[in-house]
Amino acid sequence: EFRRVLFRSGADMGFLDNRINFSIDWYKRNNYDLIGITPTQGVGGSIYKYANIASMKSHGIEFTISSKNIQSKDFSWHTDFIFSKAKNEVTELNARSSVMDLVSGYGFARQGYPVRGLFSIPFVGLNSNGIPMYNINGKITSTDIDFQTRDNIDYLKYEGPTDPTITGSLGNIFTYKAFKLNVFITYSFGNVVRLNPCFSYQYSDLSSMPREFKNRWTVPGDEKRTNIPAIISKRQYEDNKDLMYAYNAYNYSTERIAKGDFIRMKEISLSYDFPQSWIAPAKISNLSLKLQATNLFLIYADKKLNGQDPEFFNTGGVASPVPRQFTLTLRLGF
């Protein structure tokens, strides 16, 4: 059970004989007694239970502009632009998060931050052997890292929310006589993503390695030109098996963060309505042909993603993009 207090207002306006239409909506919401998982003493056989553990505040704004840029006998151009911005903050939280909860990539609640905030282990560079080092509560270390601790975690760096704070779209429709061209773009900004956790203290011949490995540490002195750790030898690992923590921490460090911002060419379609004089003899009331392409390409995305798609988030990183789709449609009306 939870309680919610919502305030909302909006307005609609038209200008130039409604050739430009504008609408805006604003809201502010306060949520109380939100349900979440919290650790208990284990009475009843279950350590983690659901309870009313949090309060949150949020606010947002959305506006839409529709315009008839050109309107003539044979040609028209219409534009629709949508912009929305939303933010939230956990104001009270009666639960304790572990380091792994906060850095995993899913986004996790912490008081004073967004409900799905993402944190990172502060990376400070490579040592002379190419091993990554971190600043853990003022101590520079490679291996003294506890991912399960829920104490003294303020050293983690806040990266941003995993949910976008700004979303919207831009659509343009052009018509010329019986032809119609639709160009539709979507965009999203304000969030971060955790890059795939591909670094390890050991690899096999079947390991899939990203192209970052081309710039890895290989000889002493490389620590001055690169932040990609070395591939350690079996002997190095046998001498210090705690090195596994150094490489696991690198996957969840400040080095493995990318912006989730993107601008996508979502759809381009071209349609043609056949003239009535052509189809009337066949007893057809309307006939149209449409060629549509969807999910064509990203106009903009963070280069650190190396071609991965920020819109389709997956466990531990970002997933493969939705494939391009091409559709040819013939529509008949009798």
Side-chain angles (χ1 to χ4, degrees):
E1 180 180 351
F2 66 91
R3 297 176 289 124
R4 179 175 66 185
V5 180
L6 174 65
F7 304 94
R8 194 180 190 99
S9 63
D12 296 284
M13 294 168 281
F15 306 94
L16 301 176
D17 198 21
N18 284 328
R19 290 193 62 176
I20 300 177
N21 289 283
F22 176 83
S23 66
I24 184 170
D25 285 286
W26 172 87
Y27 74 89
K28 182 178 180 180
R29 180 184 296 125
N30 294 321
N31 292 322
Y32 304 94
D33 299 325
L34 296 174
I35 297 174
I37 297 177
T38 185
T40 67
Q41 294 179 345
V43 177
S46 178
I47 296 176
Y48 293 95
K49 295 183 179 181
Y50 285 95
N52 298 103
I53 62 170
S55 298
M56 181 180 74
K57 64 180 181 180
S58 60
H59 64 275
I61 188 171
E62 177 178 318
F63 66 83
T64 303
I65 299 176
S66 300
S67 62
K68 300 176 181 177
N69 307 313
I70 299 176
Q71 187 73 51
S72 64
K73 179 182 178 182
D74 293 330
F75 180 76
S76 68
W77 171 24
H78 295 178
T79 298
D80 290 294
F81 176 71
I82 299 175
F83 173 91
S84 64
K85 183 175 183 179
K87 286 190 175 183
N88 62 68
E89 180 184 330
V90 176
T91 55
E92 183 181 357
L93 182 63
N94 297 316
R96 301 172 67 201
S97 306
S98 70
V99 169
M100 196 62 203
D101 291 333
L102 297 172
V103 304
S104 63
Y106 295 103
F108 211 82
R110 190 178 183 192
Q111 187 167 323
Y113 296 92
V115 68
R116 281 167 49 88
L118 184 58
F119 295 77
S120 288
I121 299 169
F123 172 81
V124 296
L126 305 177
N127 65 18
S128 58
N129 293 316
I131 308 300
M133 301 182 296
Y134 313 96
N135 184 344
I136 309 299
N137 287 313
K139 176 185 177 182
I140 305 302
T141 180
S142 292
T143 57
D144 189 12
I145 304 163
D146 186 352
F147 285 92
Q148 302 307 319
T149 184
R150 300 175 188 272
D151 301 313
N152 300 321
I153 61 175
D154 289 339
Y155 71 89
L156 296 175
K157 179 187 175 184
Y158 173 64
E159 301 283 6
T162 57
D163 295 318
T165 58
I166 296 175
T167 57
S169 63
L170 174 64
N172 285 282
I173 299 177
F174 306 89
T175 61
Y176 177 70
K177 294 185 177 180
F179 290 93
K180 178 186 289 187
L181 174 65
N182 179 26
V183 181
F184 185 64
I185 295 172
T186 58
Y187 63 87
S188 176
F189 295 94
N191 64 308
V192 293
V193 294
R194 172 74 63 200
L195 296 176
N196 275 337
C198 56
F199 289 85
S200 176
Y201 64 95
Q202 64 178 358
Y203 306 94
S204 73
D205 291 340
L206 300 178
S207 298
S208 178
M209 298 182 180
R211 58 187 175 190
E212 289 106 313
F213 278 63
K214 292 169 58 178
N215 298 319
R216 69 183 184 275
W217 186 101
T218 55
V219 296
D222 281 353
E223 64 273 10
K224 298 178 182 178
R225 67 164 185 86
T226 183
N227 285 330
I228 308 300
I231 297 177
I232 61 173
S233 66
K234 184 175 180 62
R235 175 171 291 182
Q236 283 177 292
Y237 175 66
E238 292 297 332
D239 289 342
N240 183 5
K241 292 188 176 181
D242 285 344
L243 287 176
M244 69 171 66
Y245 299 114
Y247 281 82
N248 194 32
Y250 187 80
N251 289 317
Y252 301 105
S253 72
T254 50
E255 283 296 296
R256 301 299 291 168
I257 285 289
K259 294 180 180 179
D261 305 347
F262 70 86
I263 304 174
R264 181 185 300 280
M265 180 59 70
K266 186 67 175 180
E267 179 184 319
I268 298 178
S269 65
L270 178 64
S271 62
Y272 177 74
D273 295 324
F274 290 86
Q276 285 292 325
S277 59
W278 292 12
I279 61 177
K283 307 299 183 181
I284 299 175
S285 61
N286 58 76
L287 175 63
S288 65
L289 186 66
K290 181 179 180 181
L291 177 62
Q292 178 177 319
T294 308
N295 296 317
L296 278 176
F297 55 86
L298 285 168
I299 300 172
Y300 165 77
D302 192 342
K303 291 182 179 179
K304 289 186 69 175
L305 292 168
N306 286 322
Q308 297 177 96
D309 198 313
E311 188 175 7
F312 304 101
F313 185 80
N314 198 10
T315 301
V318 284
S320 299
V322 170
R324 299 182 183 92
Q325 297 179 347
F326 299 92
T327 308
L328 181 63
T329 305
L330 180 66
R331 183 170 296 172
L332 288 167
F334 296 95

